[in-house]
Amino acid sequence: QVQLVESGGGLVQAGGSLSLSCAATGRTFSMYTMGWFRQAPGKEREFVAAINWSGESTLYADPVKGRFNISRDNAKNMWYLQMNKLKPEDTAVYYCAATDLWVASWVYQYGYWGQGTAVTVSS
């Protein structure tokens, strides 16, 4: 059974940092694009960042460029999202996801999803 499990969410003050992790079990994702999405209350799920299978290419949504960094460790079947200079508008449930496509920034392009981890940024 394939599972993606996020961790690292929590409450942080504006300007602070959080590091999210996603652990995959049940299959290896070393050849997959891994992504992060988020969904704020009352809003649609939106793309945050993606990294290709080798880690050489990354893609970021404009609101997080220069503040967030996506990375991966294929040997551990894990990937990460380092979030810096957090803003209240970053408050959302963050989801990790996987796809065999590149470039992939749409929800429908991803076939594997985690359950999400909540991030709350207080002002």
Side-chain angles (χ1 to χ4, degrees):
Q1 182 180 0
V2 177
Q3 278 192 314
L4 304 182
V5 180
E6 304 91 341
S7 61
L11 174 65
V12 64
Q13 288 188 331
S17 298
L18 277 177
S19 182
L20 304 184
S21 299
C22 183
T25 59
R27 69 164 297 154
T28 180
F29 286 94
S30 60
M31 298 303 293
Y32 276 62
T33 292
M34 312 308 291
W36 288 95
F37 288 75
R38 67 187 182 186
Q39 188 166 15
K43 295 188 177 182
E44 294 186 352
R45 193 169 299 189
E46 64 176 7
F47 173 75
V48 174
I51 187 168
N52 78 327
W53 70 273
S54 67
E56 293 180 348
S57 295
T58 57
L59 182 67
Y60 294 93
D62 286 344
V64 307
K65 281 181 181 177
R67 300 188 298 121
F68 290 12
N69 183 68
I70 187 171
S71 60
R72 66 188 298 160
D73 186 335
N74 285 340
K76 295 181 178 179
N77 221 22
M78 292 186 67
W79 59 106
Y80 311 92
L81 185 69
Q82 177 65 39
M83 305 185 294
N84 302 318
K85 300 180 181 179
L86 284 160
K87 304 175 180 180
E89 51 264 44
D90 294 319
T91 295
V93 176
Y94 283 72
Y95 299 88
C96 60
T99 177
D100 58 0
L101 303 173
W102 181 262
V103 171
S105 61
W106 297 97
V107 171
Y108 75 86
Q109 293 177 305
Y110 286 77
Y112 298 94
W113 290 89
Q115 293 300 306
T117 185
V119 172
T120 302
V121 184
S122 63
S123 57

